[in-house]
Amino acid sequence: MISIKNLTKKYFTDDIETTALNSINLEVQEGEFVAIMGASGCGKSTLLNIIGLLDSPTEGEYFLNGNEVGNLPEKLRANVRKSNIGFVFQSFNLIDELTVFENVELPLVYLKVPKAERKERTQNLLERMGIAHRAKHFPQQLSGGQQQRVAVARAVVTTPKIVLADEPTGNLDSHHGAEVMQLLSSLNEGGTAVVMVTHSQHDAAYAKRVVQMLDGQIITSTEQPTIHAL
């Protein structure tokens, strides 16, 4: 599904060249759950942004479903992103002026899904996530755990092939964090690939494989037994 070959990302200022990623090679199979770990500044969030087509590499290739996408112009990258990838961020990134229902429905609006289908898909997903009773509430009326559930629902309402999660439990207590990880695990068991950046060994235990990064390079990639969703 994801194939990254000799990928390098450099940032330039007037006098300084910084290498964030240095000749990365990575494969992620369909339906896999991969955790990317490493110290702050090791390049893991940069790698996630490139996988999510939010950034482009300086050198190297990124194939998604057999197509080279890393070097596409932004408009085409945006189209691929909308059709294939869902995002879950530490900061939730919900729109305060929209209700829970409207936040989750929004990606379907962008994809021009017919109104009746949008409403049905959004309602069914809210019920599946256990937050249908909050559909008319606004984000600031929810707990952190509830907000992250809404963020996960918004990420998967388009039925993406891949969910990218950047420290998805970073702003949550242990109870709500465990709820979100169970949710991601359940989505993965349903066939959705998950690539997650995390500092948490506890969260990484849900993954089928842990990739360790250091100084812009992958140093280990380890298969592991996983925690299954309840």
Side-chain angles (χ1 to χ4, degrees), residues 42-58:
C42 72
K44 56 188 185 295
S45 289
T46 300
L47 177 57
L48 199 73
N49 286 339
I50 290 176
I51 293 173
L53 299 172
L54 298 174
D55 201 353
S56 55
T58 307

Side-chain angles (χ1 to χ4, degrees), residues 33-37 201 204-205 207-212 220-224:
F33 192 153
V34 177
I36 302 175
M37 304 190 74
Q201 293 285 352
K208 297 172 184 174
R209 180 160 55 106
V210 176
V211 171
Q212 290 279 352
T220 62
S221 180
T222 308
E223 303 281 343
Q224 63 177 11

Side-chain angles (χ1 to χ4, degrees), residues 27-222:
E27 304 279 336
V28 178
Q29 303 303 318
E30 186 172 349
E32 196 173 8
F33 192 153
V34 177
I36 302 175
M37 304 190 74
S40 295
C42 72
K44 56 188 185 295
S45 289
T46 300
L47 177 57
L48 199 73
N49 286 339
I50 290 176
I51 293 173
L53 299 172
L54 298 174
D55 201 353
S56 55
T58 307
E59 301 170 12
E61 297 175 303
Y62 167 27
F63 291 87
L64 179 62
N65 298 322
N67 300 309
E68 210 293 322
V69 296
N71 296 295
L72 292 175
E74 170 53 26
K75 185 174 181 179
L76 294 178
R77 282 195 288 131
N79 289 336
V80 174
R81 191 165 58 233
K82 285 189 293 185
S83 303
N84 293 277
I85 301 169
F87 296 89
V88 180
F89 299 100
Q90 177 179 345
S91 56
F92 313 143
N93 287 356
L94 300 175
I95 299 174
D96 289 340
E97 294 76 21
L98 299 182
T99 65
V100 165
F101 192 99
E102 291 165 340
N103 266 281
V104 175
E105 182 188 29
L106 191 60
L108 299 177
V109 175
Y110 291 148
L111 289 176
K112 296 181 171 55
V113 174
K115 183 176 181 180
E117 183 182 347
R118 290 201 316 260
K119 301 298 183 186
E120 182 179 3
R121 286 172 63 175
T122 301
Q123 182 63 33
N124 289 343
L125 185 56
L126 291 177
E127 290 173 1
R128 178 184 171 192
M129 298 289 190
I131 49 175
H133 62 297
R134 297 288 193 178
K136 294 182 180 179
H137 288 69
F138 292 92
Q140 296 307 313
Q141 296 174 300
L142 307 180
S143 69
Q146 289 170 333
Q147 288 188 61
Q148 192 62 298
R149 279 182 171 269
V150 176
V152 173
R154 183 188 57 191
V156 302
V157 72
T158 60
T159 319
K161 298 176 178 67
I162 308 162
V163 168
L164 303 181
D166 194 353
E167 299 285 359
T169 68
N171 285 331
L172 304 177
D173 60 32
S174 58
H175 173 71
H176 289 122
E179 284 185 351
V180 169
M181 290 310 305
Q182 286 283 349
L183 191 53
L184 289 174
S185 181
S186 176
L187 291 168
N188 176 247
E189 289 177 8
T192 302
V194 178
V195 180
M196 174 182 67
V197 161
T198 183
H199 283 99
S200 167
Q201 293 285 352
H202 176 271
D203 291 357
Y206 285 84
K208 297 172 184 174
R209 180 160 55 106
V210 176
V211 171
Q212 290 279 352
M213 293 187 65
L214 178 68
D215 296 336
Q217 295 182 304
I218 292 174
I219 55 173
T220 62
S221 180
T222 308

